[in-house]
Amino acid sequence: VSKRPKMRYVAAYLLAALGGNGNPSAEDIKAILSSVGVGIEEDKLAFVMKELKGKSINDVIASGAGKLASVPAGGAAVASSGGAAAAEEAAPVEEEKAASDSEEESDDDMGFSLFD
């Protein structure tokens, strides 16, 4: 069994909890997933259910948020005021680019729609 279950089981668990079921069962998760045509791997579902058994969903979310807070998100804060001046100079270029992008986008579909 992979120790990294797919998010579909966790998402279904959260949907059940959001719907008012404070302690969703494996059958509840199966019903949610099968209603949208998603296949179920019993071993992964069992792993998720084992990990969440007896835990408050609010506590699980709070614990996960604490873990995410320690993950670097990329990018760094500007340490000097010189960065602000550079950002001001770059802003007009971005605005011009945005205007030209919208013109190009209007020509991209050439009369065809995704749903035609």
XYZ file of all heavy atoms in Angstrom:
815
model
N 0.850 -1.185 0.000
C 0.000 0.000 0.000
C 0.884 1.233 0.000
O 1.786 1.360 0.810
C -0.908 0.022 1.247
C -1.672 1.304 1.327
C -1.797 -1.164 1.276
N 0.619 2.120 -0.906
C 1.328 3.391 -0.923
C 0.908 4.194 0.293
O -0.270 4.261 0.627
C 0.980 4.163 -2.195
O 1.437 5.487 -2.108
N 1.853 4.792 0.971
C 1.549 5.608 2.144
C 1.059 6.995 1.742
O 0.803 7.829 2.565
C 2.781 5.735 3.043
C 3.222 4.422 3.627
C 2.163 3.823 4.515
C 2.626 2.520 5.094
N 1.578 1.768 5.704
N 0.940 7.233 0.437
C 0.482 8.526 -0.053
C -0.844 8.336 -0.772
O -0.885 8.175 -1.977
C 1.525 9.109 -0.982
C 2.855 9.299 -0.242
C 3.760 10.141 -0.984
N 3.103 11.435 -1.109
C 3.592 12.426 -1.791
N 4.712 12.288 -2.411
N 2.969 13.561 -1.874
N -1.941 8.350 -0.023
C -3.245 8.147 -0.665
C -3.591 9.310 -1.568
O -3.131 10.423 -1.376
C -4.205 8.068 0.519
C -3.529 8.824 1.602
C -2.050 8.615 1.396
N -4.398 9.010 -2.535
C -4.851 10.063 -3.437
C -5.788 10.979 -2.669
O -6.456 10.579 -1.736
C -5.569 9.446 -4.630
C -4.710 8.464 -5.373
C -4.501 8.923 -6.744
C -3.645 7.883 -7.457
N -3.095 8.296 -8.623
N -5.842 12.207 -3.102
C -6.659 13.199 -2.408
C -8.150 12.930 -2.543
O -8.944 13.492 -1.807
C -6.326 14.595 -2.932
C -4.958 15.088 -2.521
S -4.708 15.177 -0.744
C -5.870 16.435 -0.283
N -8.548 12.075 -3.444
C -9.980 11.848 -3.635
C -10.639 11.323 -2.368
O -11.771 11.660 -2.069
C -10.232 10.919 -4.810
C -9.679 9.536 -4.633
C -9.951 8.661 -5.820
N -8.742 7.887 -6.094
C -8.462 7.346 -7.223
N -9.267 7.480 -8.230
N -7.368 6.661 -7.383
N -9.945 10.493 -1.610
C -10.519 9.937 -0.388
C -10.643 11.007 0.692
O -11.654 11.079 1.385
C -9.676 8.754 0.106
C -9.491 7.713 -0.964
C -8.278 7.566 -1.626
C -10.557 6.901 -1.349
C -8.129 6.634 -2.630
C -10.414 5.969 -2.359
C -9.194 5.845 -2.999
O -9.047 4.928 -4.013
N -9.622 11.822 0.807
C -9.658 12.919 1.777
C -10.730 13.931 1.376
O -11.488 14.417 2.219
C -8.271 13.592 1.892
C -8.313 14.788 2.813
C -7.229 12.580 2.364
N -10.816 14.237 0.085
C -11.828 15.187 -0.394
C -13.233 14.670 -0.131
O -14.114 15.423 0.315
C -11.625 15.459 -1.881
N -13.473 13.401 -0.361
C -14.788 12.821 -0.100
C -15.095 12.843 1.392
O -16.230 13.116 1.800
C -14.851 11.395 -0.650
N -14.094 12.587 2.204
C -14.269 12.642 3.655
C -14.664 14.048 4.073
O -15.597 14.239 4.867
C -12.966 12.212 4.346
C -13.103 11.970 5.827
C -13.341 10.687 6.310
C -12.990 13.006 6.743
C -13.460 10.446 7.669
C -13.110 12.775 8.101
C -13.346 11.498 8.566
O -13.470 11.255 9.911
N -13.969 15.042 3.526
C -14.281 16.433 3.849
C -15.669 16.830 3.358
O -16.386 17.572 4.029
C -13.224 17.370 3.262
C -11.860 17.307 3.941
C -10.838 18.104 3.134
C -11.933 17.809 5.360
N -16.067 16.339 2.183
C -17.415 16.622 1.679
C -18.474 16.054 2.615
O -19.484 16.707 2.893
C -17.599 16.045 0.275
C -16.998 16.848 -0.861
C -17.084 16.045 -2.158
C -17.713 18.169 -1.016
N -18.238 14.845 3.100
C -19.190 14.233 4.028
C -19.262 15.043 5.322
O -20.354 15.298 5.847
C -18.791 12.788 4.316
N -18.101 15.468 5.815
C -18.070 16.270 7.044
C -18.754 17.619 6.825
O -19.499 18.092 7.685
C -16.630 16.465 7.506
N -18.516 18.221 5.683
C -19.146 19.500 5.359
C -20.661 19.353 5.262
O -21.411 20.257 5.607
C -18.592 20.030 4.030
C -19.065 21.393 3.572
C -18.616 22.463 4.553
C -18.524 21.696 2.198
N -21.108 18.189 4.831
C -22.533 17.908 4.722
C -23.193 17.602 6.057
O -24.392 17.339 6.104
N -22.430 17.605 7.137
C -23.003 17.394 8.457
C -22.701 16.044 9.079
O -23.086 15.793 10.214
N -22.014 15.177 8.371
C -21.652 13.870 8.917
C -20.334 14.026 9.667
O -19.266 14.074 9.067
C -21.528 12.850 7.784
C -21.267 11.448 8.280
O -20.959 11.236 9.440
N -21.405 10.491 7.384
N -20.405 14.103 10.984
C -19.214 14.344 11.793
C -18.223 13.205 11.807
O -17.051 13.407 12.107
N -18.672 12.000 11.486
C -17.801 10.832 11.506
C -18.121 9.939 10.311
O -18.735 8.883 10.458
C -17.992 10.079 12.835
C -16.951 9.014 13.034
O -15.905 9.031 12.399
N -17.240 8.072 13.909
N -17.708 10.337 9.100
C -18.031 9.550 7.900
C -17.418 8.154 7.951
O -16.302 7.966 8.433
C -17.410 10.356 6.755
C -17.151 11.706 7.315
C -16.943 11.532 8.775
N -18.161 7.195 7.440
C -17.670 5.809 7.373
C -17.091 5.548 5.983
O -17.245 6.356 5.065
C -18.823 4.844 7.635
O -19.747 4.903 6.557
N -16.465 4.402 5.841
C -15.917 4.010 4.538
C -17.043 3.898 3.517
O -16.868 4.254 2.350
C -15.156 2.694 4.662
N -18.203 3.442 3.952
C -19.348 3.326 3.043
C -19.810 4.704 2.574
O -20.209 4.858 1.419
C -20.491 2.564 3.720
C -20.172 1.109 3.980
C -19.771 0.351 2.721
O -20.418 0.516 1.672
O -18.784 -0.404 2.783
N -19.753 5.694 3.458
C -20.114 7.062 3.070
C -19.160 7.582 1.988
O -19.590 8.193 1.010
C -20.065 8.009 4.277
C -21.083 7.670 5.343
O -22.178 7.170 4.997
O -20.773 7.910 6.536
N -17.878 7.307 2.166
C -16.862 7.757 1.206
C -17.080 7.054 -0.134
O -17.026 7.679 -1.190
C -15.436 7.480 1.732
C -15.221 8.131 3.101
C -14.387 7.922 0.723
C -15.531 9.588 3.192
N -17.354 5.753 -0.081
C -17.609 4.989 -1.309
C -18.824 5.543 -2.047
O -18.814 5.664 -3.278
C -17.845 3.514 -0.989
C -16.597 2.769 -0.590
C -16.942 1.325 -0.250
C -15.746 0.573 0.265
N -16.075 -0.819 0.613
N -19.872 5.881 -1.305
C -21.088 6.411 -1.930
C -20.805 7.743 -2.626
O -21.271 7.978 -3.745
C -22.182 6.583 -0.879
N -20.033 8.597 -1.989
C -19.698 9.897 -2.582
C -18.876 9.703 -3.850
O -19.172 10.281 -4.896
C -18.944 10.784 -1.568
C -19.893 11.211 -0.441
C -18.335 12.007 -2.259
C -19.210 11.878 0.722
N -17.837 8.880 -3.773
C -16.950 8.687 -4.919
C -17.657 7.971 -6.074
O -17.480 8.339 -7.237
C -15.695 7.928 -4.502
C -14.762 8.697 -3.561
C -13.619 7.809 -3.099
C -14.231 9.956 -4.213
N -18.462 6.969 -5.757
C -19.137 6.247 -6.831
C -20.213 7.101 -7.496
O -20.529 6.896 -8.665
C -19.717 4.934 -6.319
O -20.715 5.188 -5.355
N -20.752 8.080 -6.767
C -21.778 8.947 -7.353
C -21.227 9.808 -8.482
O -21.980 10.281 -9.321
C -22.411 9.830 -6.282
O -21.518 10.846 -5.867
N -19.908 10.005 -8.497
C -19.283 10.796 -9.564
C -18.398 9.929 -10.464
O -17.597 10.447 -11.234
C -18.479 11.991 -8.994
C -19.400 13.000 -8.359
C -17.421 11.537 -8.008
N -18.545 8.613 -10.337
C -17.837 7.703 -11.235
C -16.365 7.509 -10.936
O -15.599 7.148 -11.821
N -15.956 7.733 -9.702
C -14.548 7.570 -9.335
C -14.339 6.175 -8.766
O -15.092 5.725 -7.903
C -14.127 8.639 -8.297
C -12.721 8.391 -7.791
C -14.236 10.027 -8.903
N -13.318 5.497 -9.263
C -12.988 4.166 -8.776
C -12.421 4.220 -7.367
O -11.885 5.235 -6.934
N -12.541 3.118 -6.659
C -12.112 3.062 -5.266
C -11.086 1.958 -5.096
O -11.298 0.831 -5.535
C -13.326 2.804 -4.352
C -14.313 3.960 -4.481
C -12.890 2.611 -2.907
C -15.668 3.667 -3.944
N -9.981 2.301 -4.482
C -8.958 1.322 -4.125
C -9.114 1.073 -2.629
O -8.842 1.955 -1.820
C -7.567 1.849 -4.461
C -7.373 2.072 -5.957
C -6.018 2.674 -6.270
O -5.011 2.192 -5.699
O -5.975 3.618 -7.070
N -9.564 -0.122 -2.293
C -9.900 -0.451 -0.906
C -8.739 -0.209 0.060
O -8.947 0.274 1.169
C -10.370 -1.902 -0.806
C -11.690 -2.167 -1.486
C -12.880 -1.510 -0.791
O -12.826 -1.261 0.434
O -13.870 -1.250 -1.494
N -7.522 -0.550 -0.361
C -6.386 -0.399 0.547
C -6.108 1.069 0.860
O -5.815 1.420 2.005
C -5.143 -1.090 -0.014
C -4.778 -0.640 -1.416
O -5.646 -0.086 -2.117
O -3.627 -0.872 -1.832
N -6.237 1.929 -0.113
C -6.004 3.358 0.128
C -7.122 3.962 0.963
O -6.883 4.793 1.840
C -5.845 4.100 -1.189
C -4.543 3.740 -1.869
C -4.331 4.527 -3.123
C -3.002 4.107 -3.753
N -2.714 4.839 -4.964
N -8.352 3.545 0.697
C -9.478 4.026 1.487
C -9.317 3.578 2.939
O -9.520 4.367 3.867
C -10.804 3.523 0.907
C -12.058 3.871 1.714
C -12.217 5.382 1.860
C -13.284 3.260 1.059
N -8.916 2.339 3.140
C -8.722 1.821 4.496
C -7.630 2.603 5.225
O -7.757 2.902 6.425
C -8.368 0.336 4.450
N -6.570 2.966 4.500
C -5.484 3.734 5.105
C -5.977 5.107 5.553
O -5.703 5.542 6.678
C -4.329 3.875 4.109
C -3.191 4.692 4.639
C -2.306 4.161 5.554
C -3.009 6.005 4.228
C -1.260 4.912 6.046
C -1.966 6.762 4.709
C -1.088 6.227 5.632
N -6.734 5.782 4.704
C -7.263 7.108 5.059
C -8.204 7.001 6.246
O -8.126 7.795 7.190
C -7.968 7.756 3.846
C -8.742 8.998 4.257
C -6.958 8.103 2.773
N -9.076 6.007 6.224
C -10.027 5.841 7.318
C -9.301 5.547 8.627
O -9.687 6.048 9.685
C -11.032 4.733 6.996
C -11.918 5.029 5.805
S -12.823 6.592 5.900
C -13.888 6.305 7.293
N -8.228 4.749 8.564
C -7.449 4.435 9.765
C -6.794 5.694 10.319
O -6.789 5.934 11.527
C -6.389 3.378 9.444
C -5.548 2.966 10.639
C -4.479 1.980 10.250
C -3.364 2.786 9.660
N -2.081 2.195 9.555
N -6.252 6.532 9.429
C -5.563 7.745 9.867
C -6.526 8.788 10.453
O -6.142 9.559 11.317
C -4.789 8.369 8.703
C -3.606 7.541 8.246
C -2.537 7.398 9.307
O -2.141 8.417 9.909
O -2.096 6.256 9.542
N -7.761 8.809 9.977
C -8.722 9.817 10.434
C -9.641 9.323 11.551
O -10.384 10.112 12.127
C -9.570 10.300 9.252
C -8.804 11.071 8.179
C -9.706 11.381 6.992
C -8.212 12.355 8.738
N -9.549 8.047 11.885
C -10.442 7.450 12.881
C -10.300 8.155 14.233
O -9.201 8.307 14.761
C -10.131 5.972 13.043
C -11.064 5.273 14.003
C -10.773 3.790 14.072
C -11.767 3.118 14.998
N -11.526 1.678 15.052
N -11.446 8.604 14.753
C -11.475 9.217 16.075
C -10.934 10.633 16.144
O -10.801 11.190 17.229
N -10.625 11.227 15.010
C -10.077 12.580 15.007
C -11.133 13.576 14.552
O -11.925 13.290 13.659
C -8.867 12.667 14.075
C -7.702 11.822 14.520
C -6.530 11.952 13.587
C -5.382 11.056 14.031
N -4.279 11.096 13.084
N -11.108 14.735 15.162
C -11.989 15.819 14.745
C -11.442 16.402 13.449
O -10.242 16.664 13.331
C -12.024 16.904 15.829
O -12.460 18.128 15.296
N -12.317 16.615 12.478
C -11.863 17.146 11.191
C -11.251 18.529 11.361
O -10.298 18.891 10.678
C -13.009 17.128 10.145
C -12.452 17.262 8.738
C -14.030 18.192 10.423
C -11.595 16.121 8.310
N -11.761 19.307 12.310
C -11.190 20.636 12.570
C -9.764 20.528 13.097
O -8.896 21.320 12.724
C -12.067 21.419 13.548
C -13.395 21.786 12.927
O -13.492 21.998 11.718
N -14.430 21.860 13.750
N -9.507 19.536 13.955
C -8.154 19.329 14.475
C -7.203 18.878 13.368
O -6.052 19.296 13.316
C -8.156 18.303 15.607
C -8.885 18.806 16.839
O -9.066 20.039 16.976
O -9.287 17.957 17.667
N -7.689 18.018 12.482
C -6.870 17.533 11.368
C -6.492 18.693 10.446
O -5.343 18.833 10.032
C -7.605 16.421 10.586
C -6.864 16.047 9.318
C -7.795 15.196 11.468
N -7.460 19.546 10.147
C -7.194 20.708 9.279
C -6.218 21.661 9.950
O -5.286 22.154 9.315
C -8.508 21.409 8.895
C -9.321 20.507 7.968
C -8.235 22.767 8.248
C -10.718 21.005 7.681
N -6.405 21.917 11.227
C -5.496 22.811 11.953
C -4.073 22.255 11.967
O -3.101 22.993 11.781
C -6.001 23.033 13.375
N -3.962 20.952 12.174
C -2.645 20.314 12.182
C -1.979 20.429 10.808
O -0.790 20.732 10.703
C -2.790 18.848 12.568
O -1.575 18.166 12.406
N -2.767 20.199 9.753
C -2.230 20.314 8.395
C -1.821 21.732 8.060
O -0.802 21.959 7.405
N -2.599 22.708 8.519
C -2.263 24.105 8.253
C -0.950 24.472 8.930
O -0.136 25.211 8.381
C -3.388 25.024 8.727
N -0.737 23.923 10.133
C 0.521 24.173 10.836
C 1.707 23.601 10.091
O 2.776 24.206 10.027
N 1.522 22.430 9.487
C 2.599 21.815 8.715
C 2.873 22.602 7.436
O 4.010 22.764 7.025
C 2.261 20.370 8.371
C 2.259 19.467 9.574
C 1.849 18.063 9.224
C 1.808 17.189 10.464
N 1.350 15.837 10.163
N 1.817 23.105 6.794
C 2.001 23.883 5.574
C 2.702 25.209 5.838
O 3.411 25.719 4.979
C 0.648 24.154 4.901
C 0.044 22.979 4.156
C -1.344 23.355 3.646
C 0.920 22.559 3.003
N 2.506 25.751 7.013
C 3.133 27.024 7.344
C 4.655 26.917 7.348
O 5.350 27.902 7.092
C 2.640 27.515 8.700
N 5.174 25.716 7.599
C 6.623 25.539 7.648
C 7.234 25.237 6.281
O 8.439 25.167 6.139
C 6.978 24.421 8.624
O 6.513 23.189 8.131
N 6.407 25.071 5.261
C 6.897 24.753 3.920
C 7.256 26.052 3.204
O 6.449 26.972 3.146
C 5.824 23.986 3.111
C 6.271 23.763 1.684
C 5.502 22.680 3.787
N 8.466 26.151 2.656
C 8.812 27.360 1.913
C 7.916 27.513 0.686
O 7.649 26.549 -0.030
C 10.265 27.149 1.494
C 10.675 25.820 1.984
C 9.537 25.176 2.684
N 7.461 28.727 0.459
C 6.530 28.962 -0.641
C 7.211 29.603 -1.839
O 6.553 29.991 -2.783
C 5.378 29.835 -0.159
N 8.515 29.734 -1.807
C 9.237 30.339 -2.925
C 9.162 31.843 -2.866
O 8.298 32.430 -2.229
N 10.074 32.471 -3.537
C 10.102 33.929 -3.521
C 10.626 34.420 -2.186
O 10.545 33.755 -1.181
N 11.156 35.590 -2.181
C 11.673 36.167 -0.955
C 11.215 37.605 -0.854
O 10.946 38.262 -1.852
C 13.203 36.107 -0.955
N 11.155 38.096 0.350
C 10.749 39.482 0.569
C 11.871 40.407 0.113
O 13.054 40.082 0.220
C 10.451 39.702 2.037
N 11.520 41.556 -0.400
C 12.517 42.534 -0.826
C 13.093 43.190 0.408
O 12.365 43.701 1.255
C 11.875 43.596 -1.752
C 12.882 44.654 -2.129
C 11.292 42.920 -2.976
N 14.416 43.187 0.519
C 15.071 43.682 1.712
C 15.357 45.178 1.644
O 15.552 45.818 2.654
C 16.368 42.928 1.945
N 15.411 45.765 0.473
C 15.727 47.182 0.383
C 14.596 47.930 -0.309
O 13.752 47.353 -0.960
C 17.026 47.381 -0.401
O 16.808 47.057 -1.758
N 14.633 49.258 -0.172
C 13.586 50.065 -0.801
C 13.830 50.193 -2.305
O 12.955 50.640 -3.025
C 13.526 51.438 -0.145
O 14.761 52.113 -0.334
N 14.978 49.798 -2.788
C 15.277 49.866 -4.211
C 14.370 48.950 -5.025
O 14.087 49.209 -6.184
N 13.877 47.910 -4.430
C 12.999 46.984 -5.121
C 11.675 47.635 -5.491
O 11.088 47.340 -6.516
N 11.197 48.544 -4.675
C 9.927 49.211 -4.954
C 10.038 50.082 -6.196
O 9.127 50.132 -7.017
C 9.502 50.044 -3.755
N 11.171 50.759 -6.352
C 11.363 51.603 -7.531
C 11.410 50.754 -8.791
O 10.839 51.118 -9.817
C 12.649 52.422 -7.394
N 12.061 49.615 -8.715
C 12.133 48.725 -9.870
C 10.747 48.204 -10.227
O 10.404 48.073 -11.397
C 13.081 47.568 -9.586
N 9.943 47.922 -9.231
C 8.592 47.433 -9.485
C 7.742 48.507 -10.156
O 6.932 48.214 -11.025
C 7.940 46.987 -8.180
N 7.919 49.763 -9.751
C 7.160 50.853 -10.362
C 7.524 51.014 -11.832
O 6.674 51.293 -12.657
C 7.411 52.161 -9.613
C 6.778 52.193 -8.234
C 7.139 53.443 -7.467
O 7.729 54.366 -8.062
O 6.844 53.489 -6.265
N 8.810 50.835 -12.153
C 9.242 50.960 -13.537
C 8.697 49.817 -14.390
O 8.394 49.995 -15.552
C 10.773 50.968 -13.613
C 11.396 52.219 -13.004
C 12.906 52.124 -12.960
O 13.471 51.174 -13.537
O 13.523 52.988 -12.328
N 8.567 48.648 -13.820
C 8.117 47.485 -14.580
C 6.610 47.487 -14.800
O 6.120 46.871 -15.724
C 8.521 46.207 -13.850
N 5.856 48.184 -13.992
C 4.393 48.169 -14.078
C 3.859 48.613 -15.434
O 2.989 47.948 -15.992
C 3.794 49.002 -12.956
N 4.317 49.707 -16.039
C 3.759 50.100 -17.333
C 3.989 49.050 -18.423
O 3.137 48.851 -19.281
C 4.490 51.401 -17.662
C 4.966 51.931 -16.364
C 5.220 50.721 -15.516
N 5.112 48.375 -18.383
C 5.400 47.344 -19.375
C 4.392 46.215 -19.252
O 3.891 45.707 -20.243
C 6.849 46.825 -19.201
C 7.120 45.666 -20.130
C 7.842 47.953 -19.417
N 4.067 45.824 -18.012
C 3.112 44.748 -17.794
C 1.729 45.150 -18.293
O 1.011 44.342 -18.849
C 3.064 44.380 -16.317
C 4.323 43.683 -15.841
C 4.303 43.397 -14.354
O 3.234 43.527 -13.737
O 5.351 43.051 -13.815
N 1.341 46.421 -18.091
C 0.040 46.887 -18.554
C -0.043 46.833 -20.080
O -1.052 46.414 -20.643
C -0.224 48.304 -18.065
C -0.471 48.396 -16.574
C -0.595 49.825 -16.097
O -0.728 50.734 -16.943
O -0.555 50.034 -14.882
N 1.029 47.260 -20.756
C 1.048 47.217 -22.214
C 0.961 45.776 -22.699
O 0.260 45.476 -23.660
C 2.328 47.870 -22.745
C 2.372 49.376 -22.530
C 3.724 49.961 -22.902
O 4.512 49.274 -23.579
O 3.990 51.103 -22.510
N 1.676 44.888 -22.029
C 1.661 43.478 -22.410
C 0.267 42.893 -22.234
O -0.209 42.140 -23.067
C 2.677 42.700 -21.569
C 2.758 41.245 -21.943
C 3.789 40.514 -21.113
C 3.804 39.052 -21.501
N 4.661 38.262 -20.649
N -0.406 43.259 -21.151
C -1.754 42.749 -20.896
C -2.708 43.194 -21.995
O -3.560 42.432 -22.448
C -2.251 43.218 -19.535
N -2.578 44.422 -22.457
C -3.451 44.920 -23.515
C -3.198 44.158 -24.816
O -4.130 43.804 -25.524
C -3.225 46.415 -23.714
N -1.943 43.897 -25.136
C -1.647 43.180 -26.369
C -2.068 41.712 -26.267
O -2.474 41.112 -27.246
C -0.164 43.290 -26.724
O 0.626 42.616 -25.767
N -2.003 41.130 -25.061
C -2.438 39.750 -24.874
C -3.928 39.606 -25.154
O -4.360 38.634 -25.762
C -2.153 39.275 -23.444
C -0.689 38.981 -23.207
O 0.065 38.910 -24.204
O -0.302 38.818 -22.032
N -4.727 40.570 -24.725
C -6.166 40.449 -24.933
C -6.506 40.524 -26.415
O -7.435 39.878 -26.876
C -6.910 41.540 -24.153
O -6.560 42.822 -24.648
N -5.738 41.300 -27.172
C -5.968 41.361 -28.614
C -5.632 40.011 -29.253
O -6.363 39.519 -30.105
C -5.113 42.456 -29.244
C -5.537 43.860 -28.854
C -4.540 44.912 -29.337
O -3.632 44.575 -30.118
O -4.673 46.060 -28.915
N -4.531 39.400 -28.829
C -4.131 38.108 -29.375
C -5.140 37.030 -29.014
O -5.468 36.177 -29.826
C -2.750 37.717 -28.832
C -1.632 38.573 -29.380
C -0.301 38.217 -28.736
O -0.221 37.187 -28.040
O 0.648 38.971 -28.938
N -5.656 37.065 -27.784
C -6.608 36.056 -27.341
C -7.879 36.094 -28.176
O -8.481 35.076 -28.452
C -6.932 36.245 -25.869
C -5.788 35.864 -24.960
C -6.084 36.173 -23.506
O -7.235 36.529 -23.194
O -5.167 36.075 -22.697
N -8.290 37.277 -28.594
C -9.526 37.373 -29.355
C -9.377 36.720 -30.732
O -10.345 36.270 -31.313
C -9.958 38.834 -29.505
O -9.004 39.545 -30.277
N -8.158 36.646 -31.244
C -7.916 36.021 -32.533
C -7.661 34.518 -32.423
O -7.715 33.794 -33.400
C -6.716 36.666 -33.222
C -6.981 38.115 -33.600
O -8.158 38.488 -33.756
O -6.004 38.851 -33.733
N -7.363 34.048 -31.208
C -6.976 32.661 -31.023
C -8.072 31.664 -31.368
O -7.812 30.597 -31.911
C -6.512 32.406 -29.578
C -5.126 32.955 -29.337
O -4.422 33.258 -30.316
O -4.734 33.074 -28.155
N -9.335 31.948 -31.026
C -10.356 30.936 -31.237
C -10.802 30.823 -32.685
O -11.342 29.823 -33.082
C -11.572 31.211 -30.331
C -12.310 32.459 -30.730
O -11.746 33.557 -30.620
O -13.453 32.320 -31.157
N -10.578 31.812 -33.511
C -10.858 31.808 -34.946
C -12.249 31.271 -35.264
O -12.465 30.532 -36.213
C -9.799 31.012 -35.687
C -8.432 31.633 -35.518
S -7.020 30.918 -36.377
C -7.492 29.401 -37.008
N -13.239 31.627 -34.407
C -14.604 31.243 -34.685
C -14.993 29.885 -34.154
O -16.128 29.468 -34.319
N -14.079 29.163 -33.528
C -14.393 27.842 -32.986
C -14.534 27.938 -31.478
O -13.808 28.659 -30.823
C -13.282 26.834 -33.318
C -13.113 26.612 -34.780
C -12.079 27.202 -35.492
C -14.018 25.822 -35.465
C -11.926 27.007 -36.833
C -13.872 25.619 -36.835
C -12.831 26.214 -37.515
N -15.438 27.186 -30.948
C -15.651 27.160 -29.516
C -15.351 25.756 -29.004
O -15.471 24.787 -29.740
C -17.103 27.536 -29.215
O -17.367 27.322 -27.835
N -15.014 25.684 -27.769
C -14.736 24.411 -27.146
C -15.967 23.505 -27.178
O -15.856 22.291 -27.240
C -14.288 24.634 -25.690
C -13.989 23.410 -24.842
C -12.819 22.641 -25.437
C -13.690 23.810 -23.426
N -17.142 24.109 -27.181
C -18.380 23.329 -27.093
C -19.129 23.236 -28.412
O -20.282 22.846 -28.443
C -19.268 23.927 -26.010
C -18.589 23.945 -24.672
C -18.085 25.120 -24.159
C -18.414 22.780 -23.968
C -17.443 25.134 -22.929
C -17.780 22.785 -22.750
C -17.285 23.970 -22.237
N -18.515 23.605 -29.551
C -19.174 23.485 -30.863
C -19.180 22.061 -31.342
O -18.322 21.295 -31.166
C -18.486 24.368 -31.903
C -18.873 25.818 -31.733
O -19.883 26.089 -31.051
O -18.159 26.674 -32.283
